[in-house]
Amino acid sequence: MTMTAVPEGFTPHARKSPVTDAWEPLFSRRTDDALQLGLRVAEAHTNSRGFAHGGLISALADNAMGLSCGLGIAKAGGLVTVNLALDFLAIARIGQWLQVEPTVVKRGKNLCFASALVTADGVPCARANATFQIVQ
C-alpha cells in the first residue's frame, strides 16, 4: 500500500462535523454491525513530538463507537457520550493509516456500550471503551 492509498472499502466519510473538518480527508467503512473510521496521519493530526495526538485518537474512537451504536437503534434522537476510556498502546506516525474498529458490546433501552481497537498500519495503538446515553 502506498503512503496515500486508502484500504479497500473505505470511502469519504459522509458525516461532517466542525471538530473533524480540520482532519479531512476522513474515511469510513460500514461492516455488518459497525462503522469504522480511518485517516492517513498527517502533520495536522500530530502533537509537538510529531505523532498522532491522543485527542485525535480519542475523538475518532468516540465518534466511531457512537455511530456504530446508533446503527442499531430505531427512532432514537441520537446518542451522547456518558463515559469514554482509552489506553494508549503505541504511537501512530505521519504517513500511517490510522483505523478505528468499533464493536457494539450491548444495546439497552437507555444505554449502549461499545469498545474499539485503534490501529496504525495494522498495529494496535489504542483501545477504547465507551458508554452512550440514548436520547429519545
Side-chain angles (χ1 to χ4, degrees), residues 16-95:
K16 303 298 179 191
S17 164
V19 76
T20 60
D21 284 347
W23 302 337
E24 292 290 343
L26 185 60
F27 299 89
S28 61
R29 175 170 65 187
R30 175 83 187 264
T31 66
D32 288 340
D33 55 357
L35 184 86
Q36 299 177 345
L37 292 178
L39 59 74
R40 183 72 56 194
V41 178
E43 189 174 357
H45 306 129
T46 63
N47 58 25
S48 62
R49 289 176 296 287
F51 48 86
H53 194 284
L56 167 90
I57 294 170
S58 299
L60 290 177
D62 179 52
N63 196 337
M65 290 185 291
L67 290 172
S68 294
C69 282
L71 293 175
I73 300 172
K75 299 182 183 177
L79 295 151
V80 293
T81 307
V82 173
N83 186 56
L84 176 64
L86 272 90
D87 295 311
F88 296 100
L89 310 172
I91 61 174
R93 298 187 184 282
I94 291 175

Side-chain angles (χ1 to χ4, degrees), residues 100-123:
V100 182
E101 302 171 15
T103 300
V104 175
V105 177
K106 181 180 180 188
R107 287 184 185 95
K109 181 179 177 185
N110 298 308
L111 297 174
C112 185
F113 303 87
S115 63
L117 181 65
V118 183
T119 60
D121 284 347
V123 176

